[in-house]
Amino acid sequence: MSLQPEVTQRDLRNRSKEIMDAVAHGRAFTVTRNGHQIGELIPIRRHRRFVSRAEFAAMSRNAPPVDLEAFRADQEAVLDEYQDDPYER
């Protein structure tokens, strides 16, 4: 059973603009034919926008400084914690 609303093949044909507008706004549908689920209509993922080096630098100016030694120590602590656990990989 699907958690998203179902739309019949006939409804998709007759109400395609309404249904596609809903998909464009983030809704997903399961398509049915003769009572059987045959497919899904899902919105495509939005591609991330390119950020130029200058824009990134401008956004980063107000970021707090990073203590590289403390950062590395935190990474090592986490790696050591799971190193011997075969189920954490």
Side-chain angles (χ1 to χ4, degrees), residues 8-84:
T8 65
Q9 179 181 2
R10 178 176 289 147
D11 280 341
L12 180 57
R13 183 182 66 236
N14 294 335
R15 299 175 31 226
S16 63
K17 181 188 181 329
E18 174 189 345
I19 293 168
M20 297 309 274
D21 285 347
V23 171
H25 286 94
R27 297 228 19 223
F29 297 91
T30 299
V31 181
T32 63
R33 179 174 35 191
N34 298 326
H36 299 284
Q37 296 179 345
I38 60 168
E40 294 179 307
L41 281 175
I42 59 172
I44 60 172
R45 289 188 219 168
R46 298 281 178 213
H47 293 288
R48 291 172 59 168
R49 176 174 83 82
F50 173 77
V51 178
S52 70
R53 181 178 293 183
E55 190 176 357
F56 179 78
M59 290 186 298
S60 301
R61 282 191 192 108
N62 297 327
V66 176
D67 179 346
L68 294 178
E69 288 187 26
F71 179 72
R72 184 64 175 171
D74 288 344
Q75 287 181 322
E76 292 294 332
V78 171
L79 288 175
D80 289 344
E81 185 177 328
Y82 295 107
Q83 187 172 7
D84 297 327

